[in-house]
Amino acid sequence: LEHGQRVKSSLASQVGVDPEQKSLGKADPKNASRISALGLLKGGDAVPEARAELVFQRILNTMETPDAEPAPEEEETNGDGLTALCILPDPEYTAFVDRARTQAPKLYGHLTARWPHAFEVLFGATRWSRERQSAAAAKQVVDAWSEAHDGDLSGLICRCRALFLETIRPRFLPDHWDVSQRVAVRRT
């Protein structure tokens, strides 16, 4: 696992992408926000309003990041000066909101009265996972490499192989295995 993190971090820094932060385990603030959002929704209307506000504010502070801002044509600013994170119509999101309105109407009304986009934030928090974050970082690396090399990913693949050798130091590889083995590229 540590070797994989090193490889990812090295590749990300080579293409100018901010390397993904190392997992903090149970102390990971986004994971804590995910757990808090699930708890808040499970407690529903039984959660006192002051407590719901406090928990939601913590979730909001953790989940809202500068790089998660929506495209300008999708930006909205609500009354408290926050830029809203707009989520495109999504059947899962719609079902999430409908369930919240039905199962916890007081909580839904209270949070959306103060933060109109509260349930977009809660939806994002409940869907957050380390795997998704890792996949997003990997996509950024591939996209940045592709852009810098006119869509040719063969150099990235060779660099991944070289990092594999440097990091893992395997003792048994096939005789014909080579870092610079030509990569067949399929164009669609």
Coordinates of all heavy atoms in Angstrom, one line a residue, residues 2-37:
E2 N 1.9 1.2 0.8 CA 2.8 2.4 0.9 C 3.5 2.6 -0.4 O 3.7 3.7 -0.9 CB 3.8 2.2 2.0 CG 4.7 3.4 2.2 CD 5.7 3.1 3.3 OE1 5.4 2.5 4.4 OE2 6.9 3.5 3.1
H3 N 3.9 1.5 -1.1 CA 4.5 1.6 -2.4 C 3.6 2.2 -3.4 O 4.0 3.1 -4.2 CB 5.0 0.2 -2.9 CG 6.0 -0.5 -2.0 ND1 7.2 0.1 -1.7 CD2 6.0 -1.7 -1.4 CE1 7.9 -0.7 -0.9 NE2 7.2 -1.8 -0.7
G4 N 2.4 1.8 -3.4 CA 1.4 2.4 -4.3 C 1.2 3.9 -4.1 O 1.1 4.6 -5.1
Q5 N 1.2 4.3 -2.9 CA 1.0 5.7 -2.6 C 2.3 6.5 -3.1 O 2.1 7.6 -3.7 CB 0.9 6.0 -1.1 CG -0.4 5.5 -0.5 CD -1.6 6.3 -1.0 OE1 -1.5 7.2 -1.7 NE2 -2.8 5.8 -0.7
R6 N 3.4 5.9 -3.0 CA 4.7 6.6 -3.5 C 4.6 6.7 -5.0 O 5.0 7.7 -5.5 CB 5.9 5.7 -3.0 CG 7.0 6.6 -2.7 CD 8.2 5.9 -2.2 NE 7.9 5.0 -1.1 CZ 8.6 3.9 -0.8 NH1 9.6 3.5 -1.5 NH2 8.2 3.1 0.3
V7 N 4.2 5.7 -5.7 CA 4.1 5.7 -7.1 C 3.1 6.8 -7.6 O 3.4 7.6 -8.4 CB 3.7 4.3 -7.7 CG1 3.3 4.4 -9.2 CG2 4.8 3.3 -7.5
K8 N 1.9 6.8 -6.9 CA 0.9 7.8 -7.3 C 1.4 9.2 -7.0 O 1.2 10.1 -7.9 CB -0.4 7.6 -6.5 CG -1.2 6.4 -6.9 CD -2.6 6.5 -6.2 CE -2.7 5.4 -5.3 NZ -4.0 5.4 -4.5
S9 N 2.1 9.4 -5.9 CA 2.6 10.7 -5.6 C 3.6 11.2 -6.6 O 3.6 12.3 -7.0 CB 3.1 10.7 -4.1 OG 3.5 12.0 -3.7
S10 N 4.5 10.3 -6.9 CA 5.6 10.6 -7.9 C 5.0 11.0 -9.2 O 5.4 12.0 -9.8 CB 6.5 9.4 -8.0 OG 7.5 9.7 -9.0
L11 N 4.1 10.2 -9.7 CA 3.5 10.5 -11.0 C 2.7 11.8 -11.0 O 2.8 12.6 -12.0 CB 2.5 9.3 -11.5 CG 3.2 8.0 -11.9 CD1 2.2 6.9 -12.1 CD2 4.0 8.3 -13.2
A12 N 2.0 12.0 -9.9 CA 1.2 13.2 -9.8 C 2.1 14.5 -9.9 O 1.8 15.4 -10.6 CB 0.3 13.2 -8.6
S13 N 3.2 14.4 -9.1 CA 4.1 15.6 -9.1 C 4.8 15.8 -10.4 O 5.1 16.9 -10.8 CB 5.1 15.5 -8.0 OG 5.9 14.3 -8.1
Q14 N 5.0 14.7 -11.2 CA 5.7 14.8 -12.5 C 4.8 15.6 -13.5 O 5.3 16.2 -14.4 CB 6.0 13.5 -13.1 CG 7.2 12.8 -12.4 CD 7.5 11.5 -12.9 OE1 7.0 11.1 -14.0 NE2 8.4 10.7 -12.2
V15 N 3.5 15.4 -13.4 CA 2.6 16.1 -14.3 C 2.0 17.4 -13.8 O 1.1 18.0 -14.4 CB 1.5 15.1 -14.8 CG1 2.1 14.0 -15.7 CG2 0.6 14.6 -13.7
G16 N 2.4 17.8 -12.6 CA 1.9 19.0 -12.0 C 0.6 18.9 -11.3 O -0.1 19.9 -11.2
V17 N 0.2 17.7 -11.0 CA -1.1 17.6 -10.2 C -0.8 17.4 -8.8 O 0.2 16.8 -8.4 CB -1.8 16.3 -10.7 CG1 -3.0 16.0 -9.9 CG2 -2.2 16.4 -12.2
D18 N -1.6 18.1 -7.9 CA -1.3 18.0 -6.5 C -1.6 16.6 -6.1 O -2.6 16.1 -6.2 CB -2.3 19.0 -5.8 CG -2.0 19.0 -4.3 OD1 -0.9 18.8 -3.9 OD2 -3.0 19.4 -3.5
P19 N -0.5 15.9 -5.5 CA -0.7 14.5 -5.1 C -1.7 14.4 -4.0 O -1.9 15.3 -3.2 CB 0.7 14.1 -4.6 CG 1.6 15.3 -4.8 CD 0.8 16.5 -5.2
E20 N -2.5 13.3 -4.1 CA -3.5 13.0 -3.2 C -2.9 12.9 -1.8 O -1.8 12.4 -1.6 CB -4.1 11.7 -3.6 CG -5.0 11.0 -2.7 CD -5.4 9.7 -3.2 OE1 -5.0 9.3 -4.3 OE2 -6.2 9.0 -2.5
Q21 N -3.6 13.4 -0.8 CA -3.1 13.4 0.6 C -3.2 11.9 1.1 O -4.1 11.2 0.7 CB -4.0 14.2 1.5 CG -3.8 15.7 1.2 CD -4.6 16.5 2.2 OE1 -5.4 16.0 3.1 NE2 -4.5 17.8 2.1
K22 N -2.2 11.6 1.9 CA -2.2 10.2 2.5 C -3.4 10.0 3.3 O -3.9 11.0 4.0 CB -0.9 10.0 3.3 CG 0.3 9.9 2.4 CD 1.5 9.6 3.2 CE 2.7 9.5 2.2 NZ 3.9 9.3 2.9
S23 N -3.9 8.8 3.3 CA -5.1 8.5 4.2 C -4.7 8.7 5.6 O -3.7 8.3 6.1 CB -5.5 7.0 3.9 OG -6.5 6.7 4.8
L24 N -5.6 9.2 6.4 CA -5.5 9.5 7.8 C -6.2 8.4 8.6 O -6.3 8.5 9.8 CB -6.0 10.9 8.1 CG -5.3 12.0 7.4 CD1 -6.1 13.3 7.7 CD2 -3.9 12.2 7.7
G25 N -6.7 7.4 7.9 CA -7.4 6.3 8.7 C -8.7 6.9 9.3 O -9.5 7.6 8.7
K26 N -8.9 6.5 10.6 CA -10.1 6.9 11.3 C -10.1 8.5 11.5 O -11.1 9.0 11.7 CB -10.2 6.2 12.6 CG -10.5 4.7 12.5 CD -10.6 4.1 13.8 CE -10.9 2.6 13.6 NZ -11.1 1.9 14.8
A27 N -8.9 9.1 11.5 CA -8.9 10.5 11.7 C -9.1 11.4 10.5 O -9.0 12.6 10.5 CB -7.5 10.9 12.3
D28 N -9.4 10.7 9.4 CA -9.7 11.4 8.1 C -10.9 12.3 8.2 O -12.0 11.8 8.5 CB -9.8 10.3 7.0 CG -9.9 11.0 5.6 OD1 -10.4 12.1 5.5 OD2 -9.6 10.3 4.6
P29 N -10.7 13.6 8.1 CA -11.9 14.5 8.3 C -13.1 14.3 7.3 O -14.2 14.4 7.7 CB -11.3 15.9 8.0 CG -9.8 15.8 7.9 CD -9.5 14.3 7.8
K30 N -12.8 13.9 6.0 CA -13.8 13.6 5.1 C -14.6 12.4 5.4 O -15.8 12.3 5.3 CB -13.3 13.6 3.7 CG -12.9 15.0 3.2 CD -12.9 15.1 1.7 CE -12.6 16.6 1.4 NZ -12.7 16.9 0.0
N31 N -13.9 11.4 5.9 CA -14.5 10.1 6.4 C -15.4 10.4 7.6 O -16.5 9.9 7.7 CB -13.5 9.0 6.7 CG -14.2 7.7 6.9 OD1 -15.1 7.3 6.1 ND2 -13.8 7.0 7.9
A32 N -14.9 11.3 8.5 CA -15.7 11.7 9.7 C -16.9 12.4 9.3 O -18.0 12.2 9.8 CB -14.8 12.5 10.6
S33 N -16.8 13.3 8.2 CA -18.0 14.0 7.7 C -19.0 13.0 7.1 O -20.2 13.2 7.3 CB -17.5 15.0 6.6 OG -16.9 16.1 7.3
R34 N -18.5 12.0 6.4 CA -19.4 11.0 5.8 C -20.2 10.3 6.9 O -21.4 10.2 6.9 CB -18.6 10.0 5.0 CG -19.5 8.9 4.4 CD -18.7 8.0 3.5 NE -18.2 6.8 4.1 CZ -18.8 5.9 4.9 NH1 -20.0 6.1 5.3 NH2 -18.2 4.8 5.2
I35 N -19.5 9.9 8.0 CA -20.1 9.3 9.1 C -21.1 10.2 9.8 O -22.2 9.8 10.2 CB -19.1 8.7 10.1 CG1 -18.3 7.6 9.4 CG2 -19.7 8.3 11.4 CD1 -17.0 7.2 10.1
S36 N -20.7 11.5 10.0 CA -21.6 12.5 10.6 C -22.9 12.7 9.8 O -24.0 12.8 10.3 CB -20.9 13.8 10.8 OG -19.8 13.6 11.7
A37 N -22.7 12.8 8.5 CA -23.9 13.0 7.6 C -24.8 11.8 7.7 O -26.1 12.0 7.8 CB -23.4 13.2 6.1

